[in-house]
Amino acid sequence: MEVLFTPWRYPYLTSPKSEKLPECIFCAAAKTKNRRDTLTVFRNDDALVMLNRYPYTNGHLMVAPIEHEARLYDSSDASLRALIRLTAEAQRILSDVYHPDGFNIGMNFGQVAGAGVADHYHLHIVPRWNGDSNFMTVTARTRLVPEDLDVTFDKLEPHFKKIMNE
Ligand SMILES: [Zn+2]
């Protein structure tokens, strides 16, 4: 198995979570007036789409319900429908903007399974390119610098705006 090497995630993985995250990031994104502050490219009554602040690749998105639930089976039908609908829209938009060769789309439940925020479920969408796990490896003191998150926000947000009122 090839492993993505993402050194920029290291400060996140080693920071004390209780101090850095006073509130659930998804609930904060659901409430904020300034969506850019929380990197939220789309939000409606049932679900939202935000950029991952510590991306595995450019265009790494997260889709989450507005309701604070830890498990799919506690979630409302409206949330579940919105989640998969938005995942489909996000995959289409990422395909149009970034032209990836593939995607990893998935969910982790519980700390043991790798969930960074275990009590508000969310789905990761990670675009993949042929060879991305090779060129991201640290070699001769070079490393891939991910695209600035403001740039990613500006590329994706207009596409999500088009579906905002649909
Ligand atoms: Zn929450």
Side-chain angles (χ1 to χ4, degrees):
M1 189 182 111
E2 290 180 324
V3 177
L4 282 176
F5 185 76
T6 52
W8 58 88
R9 290 180 56 84
Y10 190 71
Y12 165 66
L13 294 171
T14 55
S15 65
K17 290 198 167 55
S18 56
E19 287 172 33
K20 297 280 166 141
L21 298 172
E23 187 189 11
C24 168
I25 59 165
F26 300 106
C27 287
K31 277 183 266 179
T32 184
K33 287 194 173 69
N34 184 350
R35 287 190 292 109
R36 185 182 286 268
D37 282 352
T38 54
L39 302 174
T40 305
V41 290
F42 178 91
R43 184 174 66 194
N44 64 18
D45 290 342
D46 299 309
L48 58 84
V49 183
M50 63 194 289
L51 310 188
N52 192 303
R53 201 170 286 278
Y54 305 96
Y56 278 110
T57 66
N58 290 335
H60 179 173
L61 299 179
M62 297 183 296
V63 185
I66 297 297
E67 58 186 17
H68 184 89
E69 294 287 1
R71 296 175 287 252
L72 286 173
Y73 56 84
D74 289 329
S75 206
S76 69
D77 284 352
S79 291
L80 294 172
R81 261 197 303 274
L83 191 84
I84 202 69
R85 179 75 250 162
L86 277 178
T87 301
E89 297 289 353
Q91 187 182 28
R92 181 176 58 77
I93 288 167
L94 287 170
S95 292
D96 289 348
V97 174
Y98 287 103
H99 309 290
D101 299 309
F103 288 93
N104 291 115
I105 297 181
M107 306 176 79
N108 305 315
F109 292 90
Q111 304 282 358
V112 69
V117 180
D119 54 356
H120 192 144
Y121 77 81
H122 52 283
L123 183 148
H124 291 269
I125 304 176
V126 182
R128 299 296 304 271
W129 289 265
N130 292 327
D132 59 12
S133 54
N134 298 331
F135 73 69
M136 289 164 84
T137 305
V138 171
T139 309
R141 302 186 67 197
T142 61
R143 86 167 211 215
L144 177 76
V145 177
E147 180 178 73
D148 188 274
L149 291 171
D150 276 326
V151 173
T152 307
F153 188 95
D154 288 337
K155 279 184 186 171
L156 296 178
E157 201 261 350
H159 292 268
F160 281 100
K161 206 167 240 170
K162 285 185 201 158
I163 64 165
M164 194 74 87
N165 297 316
E166 285 176 6

